[in-house]
C-alpha cells in the first residue's frame, strides 16, 4: 500500500507587479533560494494545458549544496564520509491551478512543514524576479465547519484582526463590497484591527455568518440583510484564502484565540502521487469550495 501524507489547500496571492504570467515563468525557470545552509528550488516542474485543463505540477526541493554521506569501504571494512554535492534532504509535491489561484502541497514532517512550504515557495518566486516590485503569499483556505465550531464556542469576541489582499480571479458575494473598495483604492494589502475592552465585547455577527456559510450547499443561497461590517467581511475573506484572520474572545474564564490558518482545508493523498490523480483531487476540492461558497469570477 502506498504511503499517504497530508496535503494543504491554499491560494497564491500575486502582489506588486507579479501576475499569472510572471508566476508561471518563475515556476518553470526558478531561481535557487538559500536559507540556513540549505538550498531550495522547484524541481520536476511540468505544465499541463489544453482546451479543458491547465495546471502545473512540481516539487519544492530542499537540498544541501555541500552534503556528506556515509559509505562503506569494503577493502578496509570501515565507514567513511564522502562528499555528495546537492544532497536532497526532502521534497514536497505540489499542484497549482491558475483558474482558482489554488495550490495544494504535501507537508513533510520535520523538513517542510506547511508554514515552511509557504515561505520558501514565495522566496523562490520573488528571487526569480530579482525581488523587483514583486511579492507573493500563500494563504490557506479555512475549513468553515471547523472554523465555525471554534468561533461559536466563544462566549464573546473582543478582538478581530485580519490582513487581506484583493482576490484574483474569484470573489465571494459576502465580502464583494470590501473587495470593490480595495480595488478602487489600488490596495495590495489591508490590515484591520478591532479591539474592545475585555470587559465588553464587539458587536459582531461573525459566529452567525460563519455558521450559516459553513452549512451551505451549492444549491442554496446565503441571504443576509444589509451590508456586512468591514471587520466581519475581512475575516470571511481571509477564511476563503485571501488573507489571514484572528479572532480573540472569552470562553468561560479563559481567553481563546482562533486563527483562520489553524482550521485549514486538507486531505490525505499518496506522498509519491500520480500527477493526474492528484490534479483531479485538488480540482474537485477547489470546485467544491467554489460551489458551496457561491464564489464567482471577477471581471
Amino acid at each position: 500500500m502506498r504511503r499517504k501524507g497530508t496535503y494543504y489547500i491554499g491560494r497564491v496571492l500575486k502582489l506588486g507587479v507579479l501576475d499569472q504570467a510572471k508566476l508561471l515563468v518563475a515556476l518553470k525557470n526558478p531561481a535557487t533560494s538559500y536559507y540556513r545552509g540549505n538550498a531550495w528550488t522547484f524541481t520536476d516542474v511540468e505544465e499541463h494545458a489544453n482546451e479543458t485543463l491547465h495546471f502545473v505540477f512540481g516539487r519544492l526541493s530542499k537540498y544541501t549544496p555541500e552534503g556528506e554521506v556515509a559509505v562503506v569501504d569494503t577493502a578496509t571494512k570501515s565507514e567513511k564520509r564522502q562528499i555528495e554535492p546537492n544532497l536532497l534532504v526532502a521534497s514536497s509535491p505540489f499542484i497549482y491551478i491558475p483558474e482558482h489561484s489554488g495550490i495544494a502541497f504535501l507537508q513533510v514532517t520535520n523538513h517542510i512543514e506547511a508554514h515552511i512550504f509557504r515561505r520558501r515557495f514565495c522566496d523562490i518566486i520573488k528571487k526569480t524576479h530579482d525581488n523587483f516590485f514583486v511579492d507573493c503569499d500563500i494563504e490557506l483556505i479555512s475549513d468553515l465547519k471547523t472554523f465555525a465550531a471554534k468561533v461559536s464556542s466563544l462566549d464573546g469576541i473582543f478582538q478581530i484582526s485580519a490582513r487581506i489582499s484583493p482576490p484574483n480571479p474569484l470573489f465571494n458575494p459576502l465580502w464583494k463590497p470590501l473587495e470593490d473598495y480595495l480595488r478602487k483604492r489600488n490596495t495590495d494589502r489591508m490590515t484591520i484591527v478591532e479591539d474592545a475592552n475585555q470587559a465588553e465585547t464587539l458587536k459582531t455577527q461573525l459566529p452567525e455568518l460563519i455558521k450559516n456559510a459553513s452549512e451551505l450547499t451549492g444549491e442554496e443561497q446565503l441571504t443576509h440583510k444589509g451590508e456586512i461590517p468591514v471587520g466581519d467581511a475581512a475575516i470571511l475573506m481571509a477564511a476563503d484564502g485571501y488573507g489571514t484572520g484572528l479572532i480573540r474572545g472569552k470562553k468561560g474564564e479563559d481567553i481563546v484565540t482562533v486563527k483562520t490558518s489553524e482550521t485549514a482545508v486538507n486531505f490525505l493523498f499518496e506522498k509519491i502521487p500520480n500527477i493526474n490523480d492528484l490534479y483531479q483531487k485538488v480540482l474537485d476540492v477547489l470546485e467544491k469550495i467554489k460551489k458551496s461558497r457561491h464564489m464567482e469570477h471577477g471581471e
Side-chain angles (χ1 to χ4, degrees), residues 161-180:
S161 64
R163 188 184 74 163
I164 52 174
S165 297
N168 186 9
L170 296 172
F171 69 86
N172 185 323
L174 284 175
W175 41 260
K176 184 65 166 65
L178 177 56
E179 185 224 3
D180 289 341

Side-chain angles (χ1 to χ4, degrees), residues 3-33:
R3 292 194 302 165
K4 294 187 175 183
T6 300
Y7 285 75
Y8 285 91
I9 296 271
R11 304 209 192 265
V12 181
L13 306 185
K14 300 173 286 293
L15 307 168
V17 299
L18 184 66
D19 57 15
Q20 199 77 269
K22 288 184 173 63
L23 178 63
L24 292 173
V25 166
L27 287 172
K28 292 183 288 184
N29 298 284
T32 299
S33 176

Side-chain angles (χ1 to χ4, degrees), residues 152-298:
S152 295
S153 71
L154 300 176
D155 298 325
I157 295 170
F158 59 81
Q159 185 185 78
I160 289 173
S161 64
R163 188 184 74 163
I164 52 174
S165 297
N168 186 9
L170 296 172
F171 69 86
N172 185 323
L174 284 175
W175 41 260
K176 184 65 166 65
L178 177 56
E179 185 224 3
D180 289 341
Y181 172 82
L182 295 175
R183 292 200 181 282
K184 287 176 184 176
R185 303 277 289 183
N186 287 331
T187 302
D188 252 3
R189 285 193 180 101
M190 182 178 187
T191 300
I192 296 172
V193 179
E194 294 186 306
D195 274 311
N197 188 311
Q198 288 189 25
E200 308 267 342
T201 56
L202 288 170
K203 294 180 179 179
T204 173
Q205 303 168 327
L206 267 177
E208 178 187 355
L209 284 167
I210 299 169
K211 181 177 182 298
N212 289 344
S214 72
E215 294 172 348
L216 281 180
T217 64
E219 286 70 37
E220 54 186 329
Q221 291 286 341
L222 177 59
T223 57
H224 178 78
K225 293 181 180 179
E227 190 170 307
I228 295 174
V230 171
D232 293 1
I235 292 292
L236 294 171
M237 193 170 176
D240 282 339
Y242 297 105
T244 56
L246 178 149
I247 297 169
R248 186 168 284 123
K250 281 191 173 183
K251 189 175 182 181
E253 296 299 316
D254 297 325
I255 295 175
V256 177
T257 299
V258 181
K259 297 179 180 178
T260 54
S261 61
E262 293 175 346
T263 56
V265 174
N266 61 79
F267 61 89
L268 290 176
F269 206 82
E270 284 80 10
K271 291 185 176 180
I272 303 175
N274 174 282
I275 295 174
N276 291 319
D277 289 347
L278 179 58
Y279 161 72
Q280 194 59 55
K281 174 64 177 179
V282 177
L283 181 64
D284 289 346
V285 172
L286 289 170
E287 286 290 343
K288 183 179 179 181
I289 290 170
K290 176 185 173 183
K291 184 177 180 182
S292 66
R293 303 186 192 187
H294 299 277
M295 303 189 77
E296 303 171 20
H297 278 273

Side-chain angles (χ1 to χ4, degrees), residues 70-81:
V71 297
V72 173
D73 186 324
T74 55
T76 62
K77 299 297 189 293
S78 62
E79 290 186 6
K80 293 186 176 180
R81 306 298 296 181

